[in-house]
């Protein structure tokens, strides 16, 4: 819809279509192969179970059920459940509804340049946040364990080339700004790979959250 309002290179259009299709395939794979709870999550559940006795739990079962029923029907619960469904068809239905809303807005406001510019910033801005969850996860765990260096390299060099291509072909401003944001996040992840390496962590005295939780779990079992 952004390209309907503001023409840009057909190569970028093909890249956008390929990105949407690949993300739909990845989404289906994620839903099909959902991971079981991690050992750390299971450990926290066991630890919480020892913090209260059975009498209190039995007495609060009815109240918890009532509270859960109210939360399920509340607007906050509806917002928190978005993109947390169990079936792939639910995601497809949501995307179809979302596409319909954008189509109606385009028919109503497509003649306004401001709407087209905002649509471009939103669409490309969402794409530029692709590496942000990985960056935040690395920061919380103070570790990059489990994240492929090959993936990071493909992100960094691919986004660098994209930004160069945007500037060289004089693409719309949205492409250049969002490409720069995405490359900046890639640079942060590269810095995390260096900072959270075992050699650097020993020098700086950084302890990963994962290692700290594992030591707590070992102490719990010893007790």
């Amino acid at each position: 819809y952004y390209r309907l309002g503001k023409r840009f290179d057909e190569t970028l259009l093909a890249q956008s279509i390929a990105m949407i299709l690949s993300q739909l395939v990845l989404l289906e794979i994620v839903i099909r192969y959902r991971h079981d709870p991690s050992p750390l999550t299971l450990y926290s559940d066991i630890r919480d179970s020892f913090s209260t006795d059975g009498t209190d739990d039995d007495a609060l079962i009815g109240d918890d059920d009532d509270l859960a029923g109210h939360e399920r029907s509340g607007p906050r619960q509806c917002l928190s459940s978005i993109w947390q469904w169990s079936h792939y068809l639910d995601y497809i239905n949501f995307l179809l509804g979302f596409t319909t809303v954008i189509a109606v807005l385009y028919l109503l406001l497509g003649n306004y340049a401001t709407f087209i510019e905002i649509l471009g910033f939103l669409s490309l801005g969402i794409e530029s946040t692709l590496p942000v969850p990985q960056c935040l996860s690395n920061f919380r765990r103070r570790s990059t364990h489990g994240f492929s260096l090959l993936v990071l390299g493909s992100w960094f060099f691919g986004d660098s080339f994209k930004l160069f291509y945007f500037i060289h072909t004089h693409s719309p401003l949205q492409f250049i700004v969002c490409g720069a944001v995405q490359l900046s996040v890639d640079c942060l992840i590269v810095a995390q790979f260096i900072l959270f390496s075992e050699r650097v962590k020993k020098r700086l005295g950084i302890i990963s959250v994962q290692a700290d939780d594992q030591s707590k779990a070992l102490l719990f079992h010893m007790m």
Side-chain angles (χ1 to χ4, degrees), residues 18 102 222:
I102 299 299
M222 292 177 61

Side-chain angles (χ1 to χ4, degrees), residues 24-172:
L24 288 175
V25 173
L26 289 173
L27 178 61
E28 194 278 332
I29 294 174
V30 169
I31 297 171
R32 191 197 316 170
Y33 300 104
R34 287 187 183 274
H35 296 292
D36 295 328
S38 64
L40 297 179
T41 304
L42 295 176
Y43 161 69
S44 64
D45 294 339
I46 295 174
R47 182 180 57 189
D48 293 340
S49 66
F50 282 95
S51 63
T52 57
D53 53 24
T55 304
D56 294 338
D57 291 340
D58 293 337
L60 294 175
I61 287 178
D63 295 338
D64 289 342
D65 291 340
D66 294 339
L67 181 59
H70 288 298
E71 290 180 350
R72 292 191 192 99
S73 60
R76 290 184 179 180
Q77 185 66 21
C78 294
L79 291 176
S80 63
S81 64
I82 291 181
W83 218 251
Q84 299 292 333
W85 304 297
S86 302
H87 302 286
Y88 185 63
L89 185 60
D90 294 330
Y91 292 88
I92 297 299
N93 290 332
F94 178 85
L95 290 175
L96 290 175
F98 176 80
T99 305
T100 302
V101 171
I102 299 299
V104 173
L105 290 176
Y106 181 83
L107 291 175
L108 296 176
L109 305 174
N111 294 327
Y112 296 94
T114 303
F115 171 77
I116 300 300
E117 297 297 328
I118 293 176
L119 187 62
F121 273 113
L122 289 177
S123 59
L124 291 165
I126 293 173
E127 182 182 351
S128 68
T129 62
L130 176 65
V132 170
Q134 184 64 50
C135 182
L136 294 177
S137 177
N138 295 340
F139 181 78
R140 293 192 186 106
R141 295 184 296 116
R142 299 180 184 89
S143 173
T144 56
H145 179 73
F147 183 59
S148 172
L149 186 61
L150 179 62
V151 173
L152 176 61
S154 65
W155 282 5
F156 181 80
F157 290 107
D159 292 337
S160 299
F161 177 78
K162 282 201 308 182
L163 181 58
F164 170 79
Y165 183 83
F166 295 156
I167 298 175
H168 179 71
T169 58
H170 304 286
S171 299

